[in-house]
Amino acid sequence: MTTYKELLAQREALDNQIDKARQSELSDAVARVKQLIDEYGLTQTDVFGGSRKGRTTTAGRKVAAKYRNPDTNETWTGRGRQPKWIQGKDVKDFAID
């Protein structure tokens, strides 16, 4: 029967073999990719797609208020949870013109 220490040593040896095989295959893959890029004259955009610079998002932007509490002048944009002063009431009554 194999002892615990022997099994640990075997695992360490296997881990080392796995690391070496992975590094070898990675270097082969990188070499093939570089060859294809050179052969076809590919650019970063060709391989990975367009840049993200042109894309816009509305997340985190300030939005104009759509509703106002006539008593306190508190406003609400219409996003997120309704404030207590508008809950259960018709929001049209609080709309800002």
Side-chain angles (χ1 to χ4, degrees), residues 67-76 85 96:
Y67 307 99
R68 182 182 313 276
N69 182 348
D71 299 332
T72 63
N73 282 336
E74 183 180 358
T75 60
W76 178 53
W85 54 266
I96 297 174

Side-chain angles (χ1 to χ4, degrees), residues 22-42:
R22 183 174 190 279
Q23 289 301 321
S24 173
E25 290 181 21
L26 277 177
S27 62
D28 291 343
V30 169
R32 283 188 307 216
V33 169
K34 285 181 179 180
Q35 177 189 3
L36 288 172
I37 288 172
D38 289 341
E39 183 177 336
Y40 292 100
L42 299 173

Side-chain angles (χ1 to χ4, degrees), residues 67-68 76 82 85-95:
Y67 307 99
R68 182 182 313 276
W76 178 53
Q82 287 184 336
W85 54 266
I86 206 170
Q87 287 178 352
K89 300 175 185 165
D90 188 10
V91 293
K92 293 177 187 174
D93 296 336
F94 299 94

